[in-house]
Amino acid sequence: MPQLLREFRAFLIQGNLIALAIAFVMAAAFGAVVAALVADLVTPIVAAIFGKPSFDDLSFTINGSEFRYGHFLNAVITFVSIAGAVFLFVLKPAQRLRLIPDAPDMKDCTHCTTEIPAAATRCPHCTAELA
């Protein structure tokens, strides 16, 4: 087998690429779940509150230029819904299961006031030794 094909095969089966492919497939599936959540639950709630299921038709015109702010509002509602779903259904459970490590305690360097990890004995920015 030529060297180029061996290198390509090694590239395809290395762990990072496989993990990335799995993450991509899971993200696509999660995107479908979130899209259904927004379309089937959030949009009816918005319709119940504001009387319209979609803001796409909202616009105004200045000097012949149409500003479709309703489309923007729909995008913002979708973004906030997706961010909320990721926060509630991915980030919080991962933190509870300790899959995501806690952020290290931080302190300010006494010489350059840069925020550094509390366990640091030397500042990585100004290289001052810390007590």
Side-chain angles (χ1 to χ4, degrees):
M1 182 184 292
Q3 178 67 22
L4 184 62
L5 288 177
R6 277 194 297 269
E7 290 176 6
F8 183 67
R9 186 182 71 184
F11 168 74
L12 288 178
I13 62 172
Q14 65 180 310
N16 292 345
L17 185 63
I18 293 170
L20 181 61
I22 291 169
F24 181 77
V25 169
M26 293 303 295
F30 185 71
V33 169
V34 172
L37 173 78
V38 170
D40 299 334
L41 298 175
V42 175
T43 301
I45 291 170
V46 169
I49 294 171
F50 297 105
K52 290 180 129 184
S54 175
F55 298 123
D56 273 339
D57 298 334
L58 298 177
S59 65
F60 63 90
T61 304
I62 298 177
N63 291 333
S65 295
E66 183 179 19
F67 295 88
R68 297 180 53 205
Y69 69 93
H71 183 71
F72 175 73
L73 287 175
N74 279 345
V76 168
I77 291 169
T78 301
F79 173 77
V80 170
S81 301
I82 291 171
V86 168
F87 179 76
L88 291 174
F89 301 121
V90 176
L91 182 65
K92 294 312 273 181
Q95 286 175 337
R96 278 191 208 104
L97 294 172
R98 298 282 182 194
L99 298 175
I100 299 173
D102 293 332
D105 291 332
M106 302 298 277
K107 67 180 179 182
D108 288 335
C109 172
T110 56
H111 299 279
C112 68
T113 67
T114 303
E115 190 176 51
I116 59 173
T121 57
R122 184 179 290 269
C123 178
H125 301 281
C126 70
T127 68
E129 286 192 38
L130 306 170

